[in-house]
Amino acid sequence: RVQLKRLDGFTEKRIENFHYLKSKLSDLEDKFIEVGTVEGSKISWFGYILTLQKGDERNKFGDYLEASGIRTRPFFAGNITRHKPFRKLLRPFPVADYLMRNSLFIGIWQGISKQDLEYISERIHLYFK
């Protein structure tokens, strides 16, 4: 309950970090598919989702970021029917399958610094040079 007093501040900082990194990566729009949001929504971003347009690069890109000291996680939603508990419902969902194969995210929690976000941006730009 103590953390709830800080929730609004956490949310604002995460939103700020999301938009800051988005602005730093805006010149790479041909490399990534932008995340859509619902107008009027207020999202407390847990991570910055990077969905590669070129579909065979996610693991290589993720390995590069990890080697640069930038922790990544695979996009863990995607086609839920591919997860064991839902296999009996397995169906092709092309968009969800694409996201699962080609997306990863990096953390943009409220404690990350602008210096860290700058470093992330620099390393991503270096990758695509």
Side-chain angles (χ1 to χ4, degrees), residues 21-29 48 50 121 124-125:
L21 191 55
K22 182 178 178 179
S23 73
K24 300 303 280 182
L25 300 176
S26 65
D27 60 320
L28 297 176
E29 62 187 20
Y48 192 90
L50 297 164
S121 172
I124 290 173
H125 279 89

Side-chain angles (χ1 to χ4, degrees), residues 28 30-34 49-62 65 98-99 101-104 124 127-128:
L28 297 176
D30 62 324
K31 306 295 182 199
F32 302 108
I33 297 172
E34 186 174 349
I49 302 167
L50 297 164
T51 301
L52 294 158
Q53 289 201 27
K54 185 176 177 185
D56 61 349
E57 239 180 288
R58 184 193 74 179
N59 292 340
K60 183 179 165 190
F61 179 56
L65 292 174
Y98 186 90
L99 291 171
R101 285 189 312 273
N102 301 297
S103 300
L104 55 81
I124 290 173
Y127 179 84
F128 288 107

Side-chain angles (χ1 to χ4, degrees), residues 11-25 34-37 43-50 106 108-109 112 114 117:
T11 300
E12 293 305 319
K13 185 64 175 162
R14 288 176 179 207
I15 292 169
E16 179 185 320
N17 288 343
F18 176 87
H19 288 292
Y20 184 79
L21 191 55
K22 182 178 178 179
S23 73
K24 300 303 280 182
L25 300 176
E34 186 174 349
V35 174
T37 58
I43 301 168
S44 179
W45 296 98
F46 174 75
Y48 192 90
I49 302 167
L50 297 164
I106 52 179
I108 54 169
W109 66 294
I112 197 167
K114 289 283 191 276
L117 295 171

Side-chain angles (χ1 to χ4, degrees), residues 57-124:
E57 239 180 288
R58 184 193 74 179
N59 292 340
K60 183 179 165 190
F61 179 56
D63 290 346
Y64 165 82
L65 292 174
E66 290 281 340
S68 299
I70 301 166
R71 298 302 311 256
T72 68
R73 294 288 181 270
F75 183 70
F76 49 81
N79 184 350
I80 197 165
T81 67
R82 295 197 182 280
H83 297 270
K84 272 187 178 180
F86 304 99
R87 286 278 165 89
K88 66 182 178 201
L89 304 171
L90 183 62
R91 294 188 355 219
F93 289 97
V95 174
D97 287 331
Y98 186 90
L99 291 171
M100 228 164 111
R101 285 189 312 273
N102 301 297
S103 300
L104 55 81
F105 70 90
I106 52 179
I108 54 169
W109 66 294
Q110 66 276 2
I112 197 167
S113 70
K114 289 283 191 276
Q115 183 180 2
D116 292 331
L117 295 171
E118 289 286 337
Y119 176 75
I120 291 167
S121 172
E122 288 169 12
R123 297 308 298 181
I124 290 173

